[in-house]
């Protein structure tokens, strides 16, 4: 069955059938060939129950938040301000991409939304200043993935929801690995550009007065982060509700620091509906596929497989990590989580691992999946914002950052306290 | 002819998308009002239940807009390597399979609504929302998506038969207009 | 014969200790290999809670078990199976469920095209408070997290405010005062660490007993020969239903012991929550609210002759009458 899914997925994707539809088709196939039950009768119920979700409504809200920041000019000014602070390093503006992505990750729960936001403001600069398109766009795609690691995070909300673990605890746990990744991205970028200076652009040092002046442009984003995260930890809003706090905050900030108009809100709305429905078709398709797979006994097959290997807990974790890396090439990330969590997490907990820690480890692997071809949403988002060039360039540019994420995954396994330190210290 | 028809569908669905967006904004405002009310020691109650319904309805009605704006992700590794005629075949195949799938989904969504009608089902919450009130608009959204998808496929087929491959690619290709510029 | 079985919440003791061994070992062994079982759970399938029995009726799987209360969207009359506060011990709860059994059989046959095979209890849904309480009355004016329509209505009638918080967020919500009290099984509250963030335990079934109904698709059931039918029913009654009920009272006592330090605790360290004993006045108050507001309200929702049937069965068993 696993082989069938892998082959079917590749074949159908190669035909360039929309990813969400491919998931439905695979579900129909599982129903047809691996189950003696009329699973298709559950199709309507799965479509209803997977979209009737107060958790997932955070997706359109976070996308809308990003759209408002971009269209009011707040995002562009944040980018310009960070540029003044980080472009002295080898690699120049590439660092601003990472820094801006980190900043927006702290206000957005979605990696796709974060990448889209940064790509929209950064791409015009790259072409103007003559950067190597590979590294430049790869940094945006990779930086954008931080959106789901640095709180708030839709994926951590979904993880908490499915595993019954505390979402604020997960958010705390994601903070250090998220910032660690951001820092590692900067270091790797600098290292690459020391070895191959032609990949980065010109290093620019700005006078201190200009740097200090630029700080004012970071205030909106810091305010927004404080409002969103503050409302969660003060107990005013649930992690999902915080997304609507974010939308309101973004509107106020846009009105104060940029400008809000009906035309601009119209554009923001259209962008939000398009991205949300793109994600939701995939999420709904994944729910249906998951339903057919569980009915047809994938859980038993996986358990038997992992059990049959007779591994130590550590080796089991390594096998699971490997599985996520491989599946991550082909499966959209939210679906990957929804499909695997009910099977994998109970197993991991039984081995004595902390579900909060595993959630963070999984997010690193999910981040990796977002920028590995052939199915890597962030690659497509960044490519979508470019005016020329081929998708391959973004893929190649993302490779160094994939390796950084791999290193982070290994570090998390070796030192679980990278994730667990904050939640344990603060509770 | 066919391209004008597709442009009409696009305009129509842009208005639908505006409506969906306004619905989402209203929902955000409602949730926010409840958060504020709770600080004052009161609450509407049931905001999470209502957000769920809004999400289901917004999703089903926005799907056709995303389709017409080429928003649904496709992998074009092989497709992008072949000539215009080949690409048109890929696109037509993709649209046909998609339409058939969406029609099937819409058909299979009906029993959910039918069950709620038959049982006069109400949500298992203090609001006791009659489920048909929210499931009927949700179902209508999927029917709309199915209809739009089929019309788009037919119109694109006409374009391809007429040999207007560039026109067809612009409407059912792998990337949106702004991305191709 | 291969049965496709969908179990209840995979993380809870009822599934781990009773359902899983019964379906994957006991029944196949008792049938001498004639019956094979493919077991999963509804949370592993990511099913909507309200969809579990309707899909069973459509033959998407053969056997399903979950909390009857999840299906009340489609069958309001089923709410009468699990009324808060009417049964304060397992023996009474069992009597109430047995009295309701013919009604449940009928509801499942008519609404869900299914044959009821067994009804087993989850632990009673008791009250954890991070606030000084001495009686049921003290819940008035408090913010309480609970699930299920009838419990919510009961709290409303009591003057408490229902707040929706997901299970995993309850500790944080109790700590920050987002809610004052929360309702769940005593064992779940113990293992989820609710004792860290709450001070008072009111071990009364404010959320009822959440009876878990095991049912089989009716067409599948009718297709089985009489011997197999008899085998499944007797095995379930003696090796699943009976032990689950028999240990329910002891499990509750153990969990209370663990949470309050008063009594034995075999599940881990004893904690020191304040035990608030339910008084006769509390029970009287609860009965009064039930008979004057909550149950008449339900009788209207359910319609038909459900009120009379409930009075004659469950009501008679526990000594409560809807006027
Ligand atoms: Na984030
Ligand atoms: Na990938």
């Amino acid at each position: 069955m696993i082989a069938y899914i892998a082959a079917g997925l590749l074949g159908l994707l190669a035909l360039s059938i929309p990813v969400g539809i491919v998931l439905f088709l695979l579900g129909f196939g599982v129903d047809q060939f691996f189950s003696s039950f009329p699973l298709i009768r559950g199709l309507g119920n799965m479509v209803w129950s997977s979209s009737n979700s107060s958790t997932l409504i955070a997706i359109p809200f976070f996308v809308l938040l990003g759209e408002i920041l971009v269209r009011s000019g707040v995002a562009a000014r944040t980018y310009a301000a960070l540029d003044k602070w980080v472009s002295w390093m080898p690699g120049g503006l590439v660092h601003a991409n990472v820094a801006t992505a980190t900043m927006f990750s702290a206000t957005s729960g979605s990696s796709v939304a974060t990448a889209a936001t940064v790509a929209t403001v950064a791409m015009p600069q790259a072409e103007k200043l003559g950067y190597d398109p590979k590294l430049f766009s790869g940094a945006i795609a990779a930086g954008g993935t931080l959106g789901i690691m640095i709180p708030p995070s839709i994926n951590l909300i979904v993880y908490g929801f499915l595993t019954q673990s505390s979402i604020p605890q997960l958010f705390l746990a994601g903070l250090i690995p998220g910032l660690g990744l951001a820092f590692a991205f900067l270091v790797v970028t600098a290292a690459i550009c020391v070895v191959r200076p032609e990949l980065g652009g010109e290093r620019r040092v700005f006078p201190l007065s200009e740097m200090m002046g630029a700080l004012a442009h970071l205030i909106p984003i810091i305010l927004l982060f404080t409002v969103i995260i503050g409302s969660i930890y003060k107990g005013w809003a649930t992690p999902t509700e915080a997304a609507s706090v974010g939308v309101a905050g973004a509107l106020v900030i846009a009105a104060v620091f940029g400008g809000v108009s009906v035309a601009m809100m119209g554009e923001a709305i259209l962008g939000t509906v398009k991205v949300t429905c793109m994600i939701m078709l995939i999420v709904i398709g994944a729910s249906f596929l998951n339903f057919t797979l569980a009915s047809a006994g994938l859980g038993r097959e996986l358990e038997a497989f992992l059990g049959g290997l007779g591994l130590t807990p550590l080796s089991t974790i390594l096998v699971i990590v490997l599985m996520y890396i491989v599946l991550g090439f082909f499966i959209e990330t939210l679906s990957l989580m929804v499909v695997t969590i009910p099977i994998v997490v109970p197993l991991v907990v039984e081995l004595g691992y902390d579900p909060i820690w595993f959630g963070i480890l999984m997010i690193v692997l999910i981040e990796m999946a977002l920028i590995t071809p052939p199915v890597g949403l962030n690659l497509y988002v960044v490519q979508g914002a470019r005016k020329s060039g081929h998708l391959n360039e973004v893929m190649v540019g993302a490779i160094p950052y994939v390796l950084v994420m791999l290193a982070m995954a290994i570090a998390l396994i070796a030192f679980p306290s990278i994730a667990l330190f904050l939640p344990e210290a603060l509770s | 002819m066919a391209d004008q028809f597709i442009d009409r569908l696009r305009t129509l669905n842009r208005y639908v998308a505006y409506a969906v967006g306004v619905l989402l904004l209203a929902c955000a405002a409602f949730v926010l009002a409840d958060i504020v009310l709770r600080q004052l020691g009161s609450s509407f109650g049931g905001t999470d239940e209502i957000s769920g319904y809004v999400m289901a309805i917004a999703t089903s009605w926005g799907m056709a807009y995303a389709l017409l704006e080429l928003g649904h992700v496709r992998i074009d590794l092989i497709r992008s390597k072949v000539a215009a005629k080949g690409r048109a075949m890929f696109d037509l195949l993709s649209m046909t399979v998609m339409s058939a799938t969406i029609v099937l989904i819409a058909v299979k969504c009906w029993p959910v609504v039918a069950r709620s009608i038959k049982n006069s089902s109400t949500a298992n919450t203090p609001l006791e929302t009659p489920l048909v009130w929210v499931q009927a608009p949700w179902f209508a959204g999927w029917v709309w998506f199915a209809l739009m998808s089929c019309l788009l496929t037919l119109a694109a087929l006409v374009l391809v038969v007429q040999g207007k491959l560039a026109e067809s690619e612009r409407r059912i290709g792998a990337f949106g207009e702004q991305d191709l510029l | 014969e291969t049965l496709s079985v969908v179990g209840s919440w995979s993380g809870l003791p009822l599934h781990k200790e009773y359902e899983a061994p019964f379906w994957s070992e006991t029944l196949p062994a008792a049938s001498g290999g004639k019956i094979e079982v493919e077991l999963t759970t509804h949370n592993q399938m990511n099913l909507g809670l309200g969809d579990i029995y309707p899909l069973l009726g459509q033959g998407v799987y053969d056997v399903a078990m979950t909390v009857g209360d999840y299906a009340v969207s489609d069958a309001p009359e089923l709410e009468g199976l699990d009324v808060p506060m009417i049964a304060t011990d397992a023996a009474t709860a069992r009597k109430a469920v047995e009295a309701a059994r013919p009604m449940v059989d009928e509801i499942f046959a008519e609404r869900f095209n299914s044959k009821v095979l067994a009804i087993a209890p989850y632990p009673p849904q008791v009250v954890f408070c991070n606030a000084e309480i001495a009686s049921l009355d003290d819940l008035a004016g408090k913010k309480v997290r609970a699930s299920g329509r009838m419990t919510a209505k009961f709290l409303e009638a009591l003057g408490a405010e229902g707040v929706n918080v997901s299970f995993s967020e309850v500790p944080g919500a109790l700590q920050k005062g987002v809610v004052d009290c929360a309702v769940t099984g005593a064992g779940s509250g113990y293992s989820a660490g609710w004792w860290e963030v709450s001070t008072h335990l009111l071990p009364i079934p404010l959320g009822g007993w959440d009876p878990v109904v095991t049912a089989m698709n009716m067409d599948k059931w009718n297709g089985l020969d009489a011997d197999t039918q008899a085998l499944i029913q007797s095995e379930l009654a003696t090796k699943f239903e009976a032990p689950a009920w028999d240990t329910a009272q002891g499990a509750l006592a153990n969990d209370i012991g663990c949470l309050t330090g008063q009594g034995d605790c075999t599940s881990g360290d004893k904690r020191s929550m304040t035990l608030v004993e339910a008084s006769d006045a509390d029970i009287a108050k609860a009965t009064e609210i039930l008979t004057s507001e909550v149950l008449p309200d339900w009788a209207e929702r359910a319609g038909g002759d459900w009120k009379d049937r409930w009075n004659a069965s469950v009501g008679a068993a526990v000594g409560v009458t809807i006027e």
Side-chain angles (χ1 to χ4, degrees), chain C residues 50-274:
Chain C
D51 290 336
I52 298 164
Y53 294 130
L55 290 181
L56 172 68
Q58 293 173 42
V60 173
Y61 28 79
D62 297 319
V63 178
M65 51 206 86
T66 198
V67 179
D69 209 44
Y70 294 165
V72 301
S73 280
D74 290 310
E77 60 276 16
L78 197 56
E79 282 176 75
L81 173 63
D82 185 30
V83 176
M85 297 295 295
I86 56 168
T88 48
D89 57 52
T92 317
R94 190 174 189 176
K95 265 200 310 194
V97 164
E98 271 164 13
R101 183 68 183 265
M103 295 194 290
V104 177
D105 285 355
E106 188 184 315
I107 295 167
F108 271 72
E110 277 185 8
R111 297 274 198 181
F112 305 121
N113 182 37
S114 305
K115 162 81 184 164
V116 175
L117 299 176
I119 306 181
Y122 266 147
Q125 306 288 301
V126 301
V127 191
F128 291 71
C129 286
N130 190 19
E132 189 95 8
I133 52 162
S135 70
L136 189 63
D137 258 340
D138 291 343
L139 291 179
K142 298 268 191 300
K143 287 173 282 183
V144 184
R145 181 264 184 192
S147 50
R149 185 155 62 196
M150 201 182 264
T151 301
K153 299 231 165 208
F154 180 83
L155 282 168
E156 222 170 81
L158 199 60
E161 190 195 329
V163 179
N164 202 301
V165 179
S166 71
F167 182 83
S168 50
E169 302 312 334
V170 169
L174 279 168
Q175 203 164 24
K176 292 180 202 118
V178 175
V179 295
D180 303 303
C181 302
V183 177
T184 195
S188 304
Y190 176 75
S191 47
W194 287 19
W195 43 268
E196 276 186 286
V197 289
S198 51
T199 53
H200 289 63
L201 180 72
L202 186 57
I204 53 171
L206 193 79
W209 287 72
D210 276 1
V212 171
V213 179
T214 304
M216 184 182 280
N217 176 281
M218 192 60 91
D219 306 319
K220 182 77 183 182
W221 175 254
N222 290 334
L224 297 175
D225 59 62
D227 290 343
T228 312
Q229 286 182 346
L231 176 79
I232 292 177
Q233 271 190 318
S234 69
E235 287 293 307
L236 264 172
T238 54
K239 293 177 186 159
F240 170 69
E241 210 172 17
W245 278 107
D246 290 342
T247 51
Q249 190 65 37
L252 175 61
N254 175 68
D255 292 336
I256 293 175
C258 293
L259 286 163
T260 62
Q262 302 177 31
D264 291 334
C265 170
T266 56
S267 354
D269 294 335
K270 285 186 181 181
R271 308 296 170 185
S272 53
M273 290 183 69
T274 307

Side-chain angles (χ1 to χ4, degrees), chain B residues 55-97:
Chain B
M55 188 61 189
I57 294 168
T59 301
S60 71
W61 278 96
M63 285 289 180
Y65 173 74
L67 172 66
L68 284 155
E69 297 297 322
L70 308 185
H72 293 300
V73 188
R74 294 168 61 192
I75 310 296
D76 77 332
L77 279 184
I78 297 180
R79 180 190 170 280
S80 63
K81 302 244 180 339
V82 301
K85 229 179 212 158
R87 288 204 298 277
M89 291 302 121
F90 269 104
D91 293 344
L92 277 182
L93 172 76
S94 163
M95 275 309 302
T96 311
V97 171

Side-chain angles (χ1 to χ4, degrees), chain A residues 328-329 369 372 375-376:
Chain A
F329 285 123
T372 53
V375 183

Side-chain angles (χ1 to χ4, degrees), chain A residues 325 327-331 333 368-377 379:
Chain A
I325 293 176
L327 291 177
F329 285 123
F330 309 112
I331 307 185
T333 53
M368 212 189 286
L370 277 166
I371 53 170
T372 53
V375 183
L377 273 189
L379 300 173

Side-chain angles (χ1 to χ4, degrees), chain A residues 311-389:
Chain A
L311 297 169
T312 62
L314 179 64
S315 326
T316 310
I317 287 284
L318 292 176
V319 169
I320 290 173
V321 167
L322 197 66
M323 185 190 83
Y324 274 105
I325 293 176
V326 173
L327 291 177
F329 285 123
F330 309 112
I331 307 185
E332 187 279 327
T333 53
L334 210 51
S335 349
L336 180 57
M337 292 183 64
V338 174
V339 172
T340 53
I341 283 174
I343 298 163
V344 170
V345 175
L347 216 137
V348 169
V349 172
E350 205 146 298
L351 293 175
Y353 289 100
D354 187 315
I356 302 273
W357 166 81
F358 186 72
I360 301 303
L361 177 62
M362 184 187 281
I363 292 292
V364 175
L365 300 167
I366 293 290
E367 285 189 78
M368 212 189 286
L370 277 166
I371 53 170
T372 53
V375 183
L377 273 189
N378 270 22
L379 300 173
Y380 289 91
V381 167
V382 173
Q383 175 65 16
R386 298 175 69 198
K387 297 234 180 334
S388 60

